[in-house]
Amino acid sequence: MAEHQISKTFPVKPKHKPKPRTPKQTSESKYWSSFKTKQIPDLISSISSLTFSPTAPHSFAAAHSASLTLYNPLNQFSPTATISAFRDVVSSASFRCDGLLVAAADLSGLVQVFDVKTRNPLRKLKSHTRPARFVKFPAADKLHLVSGGDDAIVKYWDVAGETPICDLLGHKDYVRCGDCSPVSTDMFVTGSYDHTVKLWDVRVRDSGSVMEVNHGKPVEDVIFLPSGGLIATAGGDSVKIWDLMAGGKMVYSMESHNKTVTSICVAKIGKDSGEEAQQYRILSVALDGYMKVFDYAKMKVTHSMRFPAPLMSVGFSPDCMTRVIGTSNGMIYAGRRKYKEDAGGGSDEELDRPLSKYEKREKRLKALGDAGGLGPVMEEPQIRVLRPSNFRYFHRGQGEKPSERDYVVMRPKKVKLAEHDKLLKKFRHKDALVSVLRSKNPENVVAVMEELVARNKLLKCVLNLDSEELELLLKFLQKHLTVPSYSRLLMGLTEKVLEMRTEDIKASDALKGHIRNLKRSVEEEIRIQQSLQEMQGIISPLLRITGRR
């Protein structure tokens, strides 16, 4: 007759607790988390506008109060210049395509054009009778400007002559935002508090707007998407995408914000070349303090970030390296992404791969040669491939990396058993229980008890415990009896202990003290449960009434 073989059930492990339902961090989340945020404080009033220069090093301008401050992202976001030649609060700013000029509008209705280097005002465009809310340089156009304001008029300016070429009428309320087409210098869109977004073509002046779409709520911001055929509008708690080529058809409505969306911009993921160059996203910020990243190719929100204040403006640099967010309390959260190439050169995969001794030597020699101006000291050494005909092939150590054709035999890792696991393996059940009680790890204690229940040995172990060991068990029961995850097992065990060891408990004052403490714990738990039931009885009718409404 074959002997009974015991299955391998060691080590004894506690039951797995339910894991929280937190989503795993995706590659998209890792990308946006790689922007290391730095706070730029001490700005006056709300940050109403953030705009980047299209030329390197891609400085950005922040409009706050009656000032326009320029920042250099390559120098720890230090301010490089401040323009204060305004009579009222600055509402919007825009760089020219060459980055040499910046235009700014303020609430006095004045639009000014400044030289970025000297900060001198070159032109003052006076025509708006009410506060000017937005100003924009058309793409690849150095001679014209577009502006709009609370007078419900959109103006197309000749910058050199300081005169409006045409006034575009059609909006019935404040014009709050606008953007120029990336594919045409003659077309642009404007958004108004009359819920409409209008597409204008300066070549068609007398017939009004070329196209009109209704957002449904006051429009806070509007942008062209890179293709030029789609626009995104922000108003209320939604961001909507419209297809101009299809006659202004709404493609999608993103409604993940809880409060008014104040600003949106286009962000590009990756580098300037390769497959990642065409991965565009829409960044939106709102008064709820959230920044959302929307992938309009897949029509879903791919990332979300929370900030401690209402957000008013957002900007993203053309080189995909800088992201800035302006708040209502005068704080800018500027994030700079650092590539591994910047730190040491080479791609991510090359940096992660450990260097061989020949590559380390080559790198060291190259550094010495470059430092002395002598060029490369020696040619790249040929890495010698070990073959079975070579004596060293059979003396390779564990540090040797296998080649592609090698068959790797994995050695199973030896499981390290705890003290109670070793005792269970030797069928010393009482010693295993005492050992785990002394370890003071409740999960392991319950796991060992469940194993002893499966072996029908738990009650026998309790019966054989001496006074000190029984005291350890009572201490454990007193401390963890009311824990919900353990109570089902421990309540039944407590009843059996009191029933089986009554005489021993009566003979010992120390054990009597533990029983009194155990009784207090149970009574306290009963009071808590009664209080919770009373609260539930009070709340349940209110919930029913609320559900009917």
Side-chain angles (χ1 to χ4, degrees):
M1 184 176 177
E3 295 182 359
H4 176 68
Q5 293 182 355
I6 300 174
S7 60
K8 296 181 179 179
T9 58
F10 302 99
V12 176
K13 295 181 180 179
K15 292 182 178 179
H16 294 290
K17 295 181 180 179
K19 296 182 180 179
R21 295 182 179 179
T22 54
K24 294 182 179 179
Q25 193 174 25
T26 62
S27 58
E28 182 95 0
S29 299
K30 291 180 182 178
Y31 177 84
W32 294 108
S33 299
S34 65
F35 288 83
K36 305 303 179 184
T37 303
K38 179 183 178 181
Q39 298 182 14
I40 303 177
D42 302 331
L43 297 181
I44 303 173
S45 183
S46 172
I47 311 300
S48 57
S49 175
L50 290 167
T51 180
F52 276 89
S53 172
T55 58
H58 301 292
S59 300
F60 67 91
H64 58 96
S65 186
S67 302
L68 186 68
T69 305
L70 305 181
Y71 293 90
N72 185 2
L74 299 182
N75 192 17
Q76 300 294 324
F77 298 104
S78 59
T80 57
T82 299
I83 302 173
S84 303
F86 299 97
R87 290 181 293 180
D88 210 328
V89 176
V90 183
S91 57
S92 178
S94 176
F95 282 94
R96 201 168 71 172
C97 58
D98 56 4
L100 299 178
L101 301 181
V102 61
D106 60 33
L107 299 188
S108 68
L110 181 65
V111 178
Q112 300 184 70
V113 181
F114 297 90
D115 188 339
V116 173
K117 292 184 179 179
T118 62
R119 292 172 286 171
N120 294 327
L122 304 180
R123 295 289 186 271
K124 294 186 177 182
L125 312 180
K126 303 177 181 179
S127 181
H128 285 287
T129 58
R130 301 288 296 276
R133 293 294 181 175
F134 91 92
V135 63
K136 195 76 175 178
F137 272 107
D141 187 349
K142 301 180 180 179
L143 303 176
H144 300 96
L145 266 179
V146 180
S147 67
D150 289 354
D151 52 8
I153 300 175
V154 180
K155 295 181 179 291
Y156 186 66
W157 295 89
D158 176 15
V159 177
E162 298 185 357
T163 57
I165 297 176
C166 61
D167 291 347
L168 303 174
L169 306 176
H171 285 295
K172 299 178 182 179
D173 207 335
Y174 301 154
V175 178
R176 301 302 296 258
C177 54
D179 194 21
C180 297
S181 172
V183 295
S184 173
T185 58
D186 301 317
M187 300 182 69
F188 49 90
V189 290
T190 56
S192 170
Y193 272 11
D194 61 3
H195 301 190
T196 63
V197 175
K198 295 181 181 291
L199 175 66
W200 307 91
D201 191 337
V202 294
R203 296 167 293 187
V204 184
R205 302 179 186 175
D206 299 331
S207 60
S209 61
V210 178
M211 189 181 298
E212 176 182 322
V213 297
N214 193 325
H215 184 85
K217 292 182 179 179
V219 182
E220 299 288 346
D221 201 1
V222 58
I223 56 171
F224 266 98
L225 298 184
S227 63
L230 299 174
I231 62 171
T233 60
D237 59 354
S238 63
V239 176
K240 298 182 179 180
I241 300 176
W242 309 84
D243 189 352
L244 301 180
M245 305 300 292
K249 177 183 177 182
M250 189 179 73
V251 178
Y252 190 80
S253 177
M254 189 267 286
E255 300 177 354
S256 62
H257 287 284
N258 298 322
K259 293 185 179 180
T260 302
V261 181
T262 53
S263 180
I264 54 177
C265 74
V266 175
K268 184 173 68 173
I269 289 182
K271 307 174 185 177
D272 296 332
S273 61
E275 297 180 357
E276 296 181 340
Q278 301 303 320
Q279 295 186 13
Y280 292 97
R281 304 288 187 267
I282 296 176
L283 303 185
S284 62
V285 295
L287 296 179
D288 58 6
Y290 279 93
M291 182 200 76
K292 304 283 185 178
V293 180
F294 180 69
D295 184 357
Y296 61 89
K298 299 179 180 178
M299 298 301 173
K300 67 176 184 179
V301 176
T302 57
H303 187 64
S304 178
M305 292 184 67
R306 177 77 166 90
F307 292 88
L311 307 182
M312 303 301 297
S313 54
V314 62
F316 196 80
S317 65
D319 61 353
C320 311
M321 295 292 291
T322 310
R323 180 219 65 219
V324 289
I325 297 173
T327 66
S328 61
N329 57 5
M331 182 82 70
I332 296 179
Y333 293 93
R336 179 76 178 170
R337 184 169 182 259
K338 187 174 183 180
Y339 283 121
K340 289 185 178 181
E341 287 88 338
D342 299 340
S347 64
D348 294 351
E349 294 180 358
E350 291 176 351
L351 287 170
D352 293 337
R353 178 178 61 84
L355 299 177
S356 65
K357 61 179 181 180
Y358 297 108
E359 291 172 331
K360 291 179 181 178
R361 184 182 179 190
E362 178 193 4
K363 187 176 181 180
R364 187 165 57 252
L365 293 174
K366 184 179 179 181
L368 291 173
D370 292 342
L374 303 175
V377 178
M378 59 178 295
E379 296 182 356
E380 181 180 358
Q382 297 294 330
I383 299 177
R384 187 178 179 183
V385 180
L386 295 178
R387 301 183 182 278
S389 59
N390 194 307
F391 178 75
R392 286 184 57 197
Y393 178 85
F394 299 97
H395 288 268
R396 293 174 296 170
Q398 293 183 354
E400 188 73 19
K401 293 186 177 181
S403 62
E404 295 180 357
R405 298 181 180 180
D406 287 341
Y407 181 79
V408 181
V409 179
M410 301 300 295
R411 178 183 297 176
K413 294 184 179 180
K414 187 177 180 181
V415 179
K416 188 175 181 180
L417 299 178
E419 182 65 25
H420 58 269
D421 289 319
K422 295 177 182 178
L423 295 171
L424 284 174
K425 198 171 182 181
K426 297 176 182 178
F427 301 98
R428 295 169 58 183
H429 301 126
K430 176 194 152 185
D431 296 337
L433 180 60
V434 174
S435 174
V436 76
L437 284 172
R438 286 174 176 162
S439 66
K440 297 181 181 179
N441 188 331
E443 293 182 353
N444 290 340
V445 174
V446 174
V448 171
M449 287 181 177
E450 289 174 347
E451 176 68 18
L452 294 176
V453 169
R455 299 187 185 189
N456 293 323
K457 298 293 182 181
L458 181 58
L459 297 181
K460 186 177 180 180
C461 293
V462 172
L463 192 60
N464 294 330
L465 294 176
D466 59 24
S467 298
E468 294 182 0
E469 295 167 349
L470 183 59
E471 187 175 352
L472 286 175
L473 179 59
L474 291 176
K475 285 182 180 178
F476 176 81
L477 294 175
Q478 171 200 339
K479 191 172 183 181
H480 301 95
L481 178 65
T482 56
V483 177
S485 56
Y486 306 147
S487 59
R488 185 173 182 180
L489 173 65
L490 299 185
M491 287 293 291
L493 179 60
T494 304
E495 293 180 4
K496 291 294 182 181
V497 170
L498 295 176
E499 179 183 343
M500 298 168 58
R501 304 301 298 268
T502 305
E503 299 298 331
D504 297 327
I505 294 172
K506 290 181 179 179
S508 173
D509 294 336
L511 296 179
K512 288 180 182 178
H514 291 303
I515 296 299
R516 284 193 294 269
N517 295 336
L518 183 61
K519 183 180 178 182
R520 292 194 195 98
S521 300
V522 174
E523 290 174 350
E524 181 66 23
E525 182 66 20
I526 292 173
R527 282 196 295 270
I528 292 173
Q529 295 294 336
Q530 290 175 348
S531 301
L532 292 176
Q533 288 179 353
E534 292 173 1
M535 294 174 62
Q536 185 179 4
I538 296 172
I539 295 173
S540 295
L542 299 177
L543 294 177
R544 291 196 192 97
I545 296 171
T546 306
R548 291 172 186 173
R549 292 181 180 177

